[in-house]
Amino acid sequence: MSNSIAKILLGNVRITKNLLLLLVIGGLYAISISLSNTFVNIYLWKQSGEVSDIALYQLASVTTQPVAFLLAGYISKRADRIIALRLGVFILTGFYLTVLFAGESAETILLLLGALLGMGFGFYWLGYNVLTFEITEPDTRDFFNGFAGLLTSFAGMIGPLSAGAVITWLPDTQGYQIIFFISFFLFIMAVLLSLKMKHRHAEGPLQIQKAANEIKRNAAWRKILFSHFIQGLREGIFVFIIVLWVFMATNSELALGSYGFVTSAVSFAGYFIVSRFLKPSRRKKAILIGGALLFGAVFLIVFNPIYPLLMTYGVIISAAYPLLLVPYVSLTYDVLGKASDAAALRIEYLITKEWFINGGRVMSIVVLLAGISLFEEKQIIPVLLVIFGSGHFLMYFVIKGIDLRFLENKKEVTNNMPENGGGDSLT
């Protein structure tokens, strides 16, 4: 009976201890972030009241992430990728402690907070992405990315709604302080769980230049990197503008939490369906449909960002993101696996990928800051949302020429993986 239920939920996928362990760590991270990250933006905005201040906070985050990825790559090469992941979690705990101790003076250290957040994200995601590349294979990647999306969506359902309720019920900033402390505690749990991972060095020095040369030689990898830059253009400003708009429309943390609950519930169902039924041969079509939905949804809110329309927008993009991201992330790792010396240079390739996506984020935030300094916010922000909101749709036209026939030969693909069997290095 239990086997039948597992088959229904997971499909015919070989689940290793390592894959499961990484999913649990990712789940703890997702719960912690979903509890607090959305409300940090509101907490800071309520102190300053300026969109430009939140944009500067986000800019500090995305500009420090590339540096963090480079440092994390060096540590992963000289020591272990597990250490990079742990350092990321430690820095994020430091971020939340700093917010707690700063209290109502947090707006005076916006750049420091943004830098801490960016460093934490950079170290964490470098370690996590390297482990994902090592542990998964082409036939398990859609499952892993889909199930990771399920955990993130579930966290998004319980996190913002719970946090919004606590913040609403408790006076002053007590609710914020409790939520930030819970996030701190969950990060500590993730660190403790990571101690179960077996250390393994990545051989050789950090060779960023060698990985950069692959951009010229490998057309498929070049297209993947350019599509990540375009992805970053949208993410740079959408990650905080929509949250601010929802709060401005309702002036309620509970309403913002409800928005997160509904959209994450839709996303949860979407990730389950996509991870179970999407075939590698249909990846490009899924990316096109998902990107088109993400772009089209923008037009619902740019003219009149009232709460019902914002909620409708959230439902549409929550259905679209699984359709786009599950095949897109899997495609990225598959193309990376075919790059030159992928086993030895996997860390360098992942650093390069993150530099491109953060480059797009930096550009969109800088353009936003320039725009609101020259024009009224109500005039320029909708225009920029339309321009940068096309990013995920345009991604398809960048990656559509990538030849996916190499996926038909699993042996050929996995030969470039660090270890056989999906890099099962944690047992």
Side-chain angles (χ1 to χ4, degrees):
M1 179 68 177
S2 60
N3 290 335
S4 300
I5 295 174
K7 186 174 181 180
I8 293 172
L9 293 175
L10 305 178
N12 295 314
V13 178
R14 184 173 64 91
I15 308 299
T16 66
K17 176 183 176 182
N18 306 326
L19 189 147
L20 184 61
L21 188 60
L22 188 60
L23 282 173
V24 174
I25 291 174
L28 287 172
Y29 170 89
I31 294 173
S32 179
I33 291 296
S34 68
L35 274 171
S36 297
N37 206 39
T38 295
F39 293 98
V40 168
N41 286 291
I42 301 303
Y43 185 67
L44 297 175
W45 182 80
K46 289 176 75 171
Q47 292 185 22
S48 71
E50 298 291 338
V51 173
S52 59
D53 286 343
I54 307 304
L56 285 171
Y57 160 72
Q58 293 290 339
L59 183 62
S61 174
V62 298
T63 52
T64 53
Q65 283 184 51
V67 178
F69 271 99
L70 184 62
L71 294 175
Y74 179 80
I75 291 171
S76 297
K77 283 281 191 172
R78 295 297 297 269
D80 194 297
R81 68 268 193 268
I82 306 299
I83 294 178
L85 184 144
R86 288 178 192 158
L87 280 173
V89 177
F90 273 125
I91 295 171
L92 288 170
T93 60
F95 165 79
Y96 285 112
L97 283 177
T98 303
V99 174
L100 280 171
F101 286 126
E104 296 183 3
S105 300
E107 66 169 311
T108 62
I109 54 170
L110 284 174
L111 296 182
L112 173 62
L113 291 174
L116 280 174
L117 187 67
M119 293 296 288
F121 281 163
F123 276 93
Y124 174 84
W125 283 112
L126 190 280
Y128 187 88
N129 287 340
V130 172
L131 287 167
T132 299
F133 179 66
E134 292 178 356
I135 290 170
T136 61
E137 298 180 73
D139 60 348
T140 61
R141 283 195 182 122
D142 284 338
F143 161 79
F144 179 88
N145 293 320
F147 207 81
L150 278 175
L151 292 175
T152 301
S153 299
F154 179 72
M157 289 168 61
I158 64 174
L161 186 61
S162 301
V166 170
I167 292 169
T168 301
W169 292 337
L170 294 178
D172 300 324
T173 61
Q174 290 182 19
Y176 283 101
Q177 293 171 353
I178 290 175
I179 294 303
F180 296 156
F181 178 79
I182 293 174
S183 289
F184 163 79
F185 176 75
L186 291 173
F187 277 131
I188 294 298
M189 289 182 60
V191 171
L192 294 176
L193 190 60
S194 73
L195 296 176
K196 295 181 177 291
M197 295 183 175
K198 182 179 179 181
H199 287 264
R200 186 174 67 83
H201 293 275
E203 298 179 357
L206 194 66
Q207 302 180 73
I208 295 295
Q209 184 59 51
K210 188 172 181 180
N213 291 336
E214 184 73 4
I215 300 174
K216 298 179 182 179
R217 191 197 69 81
N218 188 333
W221 181 238
R222 184 167 61 250
K223 290 175 181 178
I224 287 292
L225 293 179
F226 288 163
S227 68
H228 275 79
F229 179 83
I230 296 171
Q231 176 188 353
L233 288 175
R234 175 179 174 125
E235 292 181 355
I237 62 174
F238 273 75
V239 72
F240 64 96
I241 289 295
I242 301 301
V243 169
L244 291 180
W245 274 11
V246 171
F247 184 77
M248 290 177 186
T250 62
N251 197 33
S252 167
E253 285 90 352
L254 186 58
L256 181 58
S258 300
Y259 173 87
F261 175 82
V262 172
T263 56
S264 294
V266 174
S267 184
F268 183 90
Y271 274 111
F272 175 77
I273 294 171
V274 172
S275 62
R276 283 287 284 109
F277 300 109
L278 180 67
K279 305 299 181 184
S281 60
R282 297 179 180 176
R283 284 179 179 174
K284 290 182 182 179
K285 182 178 290 186
I287 292 171
L288 173 61
I289 296 172
L293 288 172
L294 286 167
F295 184 35
V298 175
F299 293 94
L300 282 174
I301 59 174
V302 291
F303 301 112
N304 189 21
I306 58 176
Y307 188 65
L309 290 179
L310 287 164
M311 184 67 81
T312 304
Y313 162 86
V315 169
I316 293 173
I317 67 165
S318 297
Y321 265 122
L323 199 57
L324 180 139
L325 288 181
V326 170
Y328 180 63
V329 173
S330 298
L331 177 62
T332 296
Y333 282 117
D334 289 341
V335 172
L336 191 160
K338 288 290 293 179
S340 300
D341 296 324
L345 299 177
R346 61 192 182 278
I347 292 174
E348 289 85 346
Y349 286 132
L350 289 170
I351 290 172
T352 305
K353 175 182 75 72
E354 294 300 329
W355 281 354
F356 270 78
I357 194 169
N358 274 285
R361 292 168 180 164
V362 169
M363 177 174 287
S364 64
I365 295 175
V366 168
V367 171
L368 172 66
L369 285 168
I372 60 182
S373 69
L374 298 173
F375 305 96
E376 292 288 335
E377 289 182 5
K378 293 182 179 180
Q379 295 176 338
I380 192 62
I381 289 179
V383 173
L384 294 180
L385 289 179
V386 171
I387 294 173
F388 294 132
S390 65
H392 285 79
F393 178 60
L394 296 177
M395 281 163 46
Y396 166 79
F397 299 97
V398 177
I399 59 92
K400 71 173 184 177
I402 296 176
D403 189 352
L404 299 182
R405 287 178 295 178
F406 70 87
L407 293 177
E408 297 173 3
N409 188 345
K410 185 193 304 182
K411 183 177 180 180
E412 181 183 353
V413 177
T414 57
N415 276 346
N416 278 334
M417 295 300 170
E419 300 173 17
N420 293 329
D424 202 9
S425 62
L426 306 183
T427 54

